[in-house]
Each structure stands twice: as C-alpha cells, then as structure tokens.
Amino acid sequence: MKRKALWQFATLCLSIYVSGWNDGTIGPLLPRLQAVYNVGYAVVSLIFVVSCIGSIVGSCTYLYLTDRLGFGTVTSASVMVAYCLEAGAVPFPVFVVSYFFNGFGTAYLNAGSNAFLASLSVGNASTRMGILHALYGLGAMCSPLISTQFANLPRWSFVYLTHLGISFLNGLMQIAVFRFKSQEECFQEIGQPPPMEDSEGWLERYKKIFKLRCVHLMALFAFTYVGHEVTVGSWIVTYIINERHGGPNSGYISSGFFGGLMLGRVALLWFSKLVGERRVVFIYILAVVGLELVVWLVPNLYAGAVSVCFVGFFLGPVYPILMNHCGRVLPPELISGAIGWIACWGAAGAAVFPFVTGAIASKAGIVSLLPVLVSMMGLLLTVWLCVPNSRC
C-alpha cells in the first residue's frame, strides 16, 4: 500500500509538472507570436480567453465526473492534440482555438490532483501539498528555458514537440497507476477510507457546496491568485524587453520567477508552520507588493530581474496553503467537489487576468503591467481577510 501510495503521489506530481510546463511556455513566446502573426497585445491575448473557456469546461467536467472516472488520461490526450496543432505553426485563428484543449486538459488535471491530495488524511498534508505545487513551479521554470531558445529560431513552433513528449509520458503514467479507476477505488488501494458522501447524489452535494460562503471566498482568492501568477509569467518578459530594454534572453526572467515559485513552496514550509498558515499569507502578500513596487519604480534591469525572482519566492507558498486550508475548513464529504469548484475559478483567473492585462496594455502600453499586478495583490489581501479560519 505504501508503494502504491508513493506511485500515486508521483503521478500527481507529474501531472502538476505538466500543468506548470504548459503555463510557463507562453511568456517568452508572446513577443515572437506578435511578430510572426503581426498582432497586437489585445489580439494575442485572445489565447488566454480561449484557454479560459477550455479551463472552465475542464473544471466543470471534473465537477460532474469526480469519483466516477479515473484520473486524467483523456485530458492528457486533449493537451497532446493542442500541442500537435501548435507545433505546426498553424494560422493564428487555429492556433488560438488549440488553446481550448490546453485549458481543458490542464484544468482537469489541476482540479483532480488537488482534490485527491486534499482528501487524504494520512501523513503530513501540508508538506505533500507544498511538494506537489513545487513541481508546478519546476515545470514552469524549465519550460521558459526551452521556449526562450526556440523563440529565437526559425522553427519556433517546434518547442511544442517537447511538450508533446512530456504529455505523452504523463498519459502513460496515468494509465499505469490509476487505470481509469474512481477516486474511491484509488483510496482503497492505499488503505485510505474514502471521504463520506451524501446519499442524495452529486446534484444535492453541489447544492450544499454552493451554499457555503467560504467556498466562494476561496474561489475568488484562487481566481485572483492564479490570475496574478500567470499574468506575471506571461507578460513580464514583454515588460522587461520594452520597458527595461532587455535583450532576446529576457525569457530567462520568466524561468527565474517560476524557479522562485518552486523554491519558495519548499524552502518556506518551516516558516509557514512556525508563523501559522493563515497569518503567514499576509506576510507573503505584503512582501510581494513591496517587490513589485521595486520592479515598477526602480528603472534598472538587474534590480527588476532579481525582484521578479523573489516575487515568485514569496508568492509560491500561498496556493498550497489555500488548498490545505480548504481541507481544514470544509466538511470532509464536500472537499473533493469544493476544490474542483475552487480550481475551476483558479483556471478562469489564469486566463481572465492575462487577457485583461493585454487589453489594458493595448491602450496604455505594457508599462501598465505593474500597477495592475499591485492592484491584484491588494484584492488578494482583502479577500484573505474575509476567509474564515474555522469549519464552515
């Protein structure tokens, strides 16, 4: 059972790694996409809109299918379809549509992985959640290293072939470990009693979920947090190139951001436990605001690059803390479905905020990026003040 539990956790980590790899790719490629397809900030941001639609569909699919199907083999296939289209440098409308499959697959994997792990009651939950999301940061850190190189090559779209290989490996792992089994069956394999379920069925369960005010507050928090994270990863390279006169290797700054994200989710575990996970979120948010003010107000390339890395470092632990908090304050029988709903909003934020940022930049210029990010962190702080600290 211990060996089986280890393989299950490793597969979840690979799924989150693939999700991070997908999210970290687009930032260094945005300037090249604008040049190749001759589009502006607002038009290229349609990628995020279509990805948002796919994310919502993927998360809602998980809400309905949770505990019915096994993990994301089908969704891995969805991501691979997207990468096949993108690798061919298809016309821009088709390229945009392909991001629907990206959003669908990664949202389903995210929702399923977080809900599965948050429902477990064995071992050190906060450590496992921190490691899981550190693997997201690792994937998002590695992909800009690859995409920055391809962004400067004639065959820039071939970067998606590397993504295709990683997604194929993830699909094989999903088949080998979960074998299309339900979440309840996977829990039984490792000796973990499945969460209690209501006899009324899934519809009544979600009616109960939607009546909980704390669920909607945490969904808004996830919406804003993930939106902020992906906005930084997507647009910071363009900001550095245009406003700080960075060269063609500016894409590595995106890797620095996600590398900080990965490191913070592991290195700050002890600090989060020492201070208390609810209180420490306020410290992390204020630290991020201070660092973003440095990027905004200090016109120095190197100071900005270092500050962006530390933004990722302090921002990283916040999302795993949110997932752990869900496990503590939500009724056990509602955890899986509620986290699916919260992850749905997180996936929507990952598309909405980058699109809004691109739309604002088309009018005011990319210089508007940092004011938008600081405003988002202010909203995040306000929402966390309202999130309850006791069982809903």
Side-chain angles (χ1 to χ4, degrees):
M1 287 183 177
K2 289 182 179 179
R3 190 183 305 113
K4 186 68 176 179
L6 181 61
W7 276 109
Q8 287 182 358
F9 181 63
T11 306
L12 297 180
C13 287
L14 180 59
S15 297
I16 290 294
Y17 179 88
V18 170
S19 178
W21 183 282
N22 182 76
D23 290 347
T25 297
I26 192 65
L29 289 179
L30 277 176
R32 183 61 187 270
L33 290 174
Q34 288 180 274
V36 169
Y37 291 113
N38 193 27
V39 293
Y41 293 120
V43 175
V44 79
S45 296
L46 290 174
I47 289 173
F48 301 113
V49 175
V50 175
S51 178
C52 174
I53 297 171
S55 298
I56 293 173
V57 173
S59 296
C60 292
T61 301
Y62 174 79
L63 287 177
Y64 177 72
L65 295 179
T66 181
D67 301 333
R68 290 168 172 78
L69 293 179
F71 274 73
T73 307
V74 175
T75 54
S76 295
S78 172
V79 174
M80 286 189 281
V81 168
Y83 291 152
C84 287
L85 292 172
E86 291 153 7
V90 291
F92 187 71
V94 182
F95 190 88
V96 170
V97 170
S98 71
Y99 267 81
F100 173 88
F101 300 102
N102 266 357
F104 177 87
T106 55
Y108 192 100
L109 288 174
N110 263 319
S113 299
N114 281 295
F116 187 94
L117 197 57
S119 297
L120 290 174
S121 61
V122 295
N124 193 326
S126 61
T127 300
R128 290 196 312 273
M129 193 66 76
I131 293 172
L132 180 77
H133 287 281
L135 267 294
Y136 173 92
L138 179 62
M141 179 190 72
C142 292
S143 60
L145 298 176
I146 305 299
S147 57
T148 298
Q149 293 294 322
F150 276 92
N152 299 316
L153 297 176
R155 297 287 188 178
W156 59 272
S157 63
F158 282 11
V159 66
Y160 291 104
L161 295 178
T162 63
H163 302 12
L164 184 62
I166 295 172
S167 298
F168 181 71
L169 175 61
N170 181 52
L172 292 180
M173 285 283 288
Q174 296 282 345
I175 294 172
V177 175
F178 293 113
R179 291 173 290 175
F180 301 100
K181 293 183 177 180
S182 69
Q183 182 171 289
E184 179 179 347
E185 292 171 317
C186 294
F187 280 158
Q188 290 173 349
E189 288 184 342
I190 60 174
Q192 168 74 10
M196 295 180 297
E197 292 189 6
D198 295 325
S199 58
E200 295 94 337
W202 71 273
L203 185 58
E204 291 300 319
R205 184 162 73 246
Y206 286 112
K207 286 182 180 178
K208 292 182 179 180
I209 290 172
F210 297 149
K211 289 178 181 178
L212 294 176
R213 175 174 170 268
C214 63
V215 170
H216 301 295
L217 285 171
M218 288 187 285
L220 178 58
F221 188 89
F223 178 76
T224 308
Y225 170 87
V226 179
H228 179 279
E229 177 187 295
V230 177
T231 299
V232 175
S234 299
W235 286 112
I236 195 62
V237 177
T238 305
Y239 178 86
I240 292 295
I241 291 173
N242 292 356
E243 297 299 320
R244 297 294 180 260
H245 310 295
N249 291 328
S250 297
Y252 295 128
I253 292 177
S254 182
S255 282
F257 168 72
F258 286 114
L261 196 84
M262 174 195 66
L263 186 61
R265 285 175 173 173
V266 177
L268 292 176
L269 278 171
W270 68 273
F271 183 71
S272 299
K273 293 178 182 178
L274 178 66
V275 177
E277 288 193 334
R278 177 169 175 79
R279 291 189 296 272
V280 81
V281 169
F282 296 110
I283 297 174
Y284 293 149
I285 291 175
L286 292 175
V288 169
V289 170
L291 289 162
E292 289 179 345
L293 288 174
V294 172
V295 180
W296 180 7
L297 301 175
V298 179
N300 183 279
L301 173 63
Y302 300 104
V306 172
S307 297
V308 168
C309 295
F310 278 99
V311 165
F313 183 77
F314 289 108
L315 192 66
V318 175
Y319 194 75
I321 288 174
L322 173 66
M323 292 295 105
N324 285 330
H325 196 68
C326 291
R328 284 192 297 268
V329 304
L330 294 173
E333 69 275 11
L334 302 180
I335 287 175
S336 182
I339 287 184
W341 175 248
I342 292 167
C344 171
W345 280 97
V352 170
F353 282 107
F355 170 73
V356 170
T357 302
I360 293 173
S362 69
K363 300 294 184 181
I366 195 63
V367 70
S368 61
L369 172 65
L370 268 302
V372 170
L373 293 177
V374 172
S375 301
M376 290 164 64
M377 292 307 295
L379 175 59
L380 207 62
L381 183 68
T382 304
V383 175
W384 190 248
L385 280 169
C386 302
V387 172
N389 197 32
S390 57
R391 184 74 69 180
C392 297

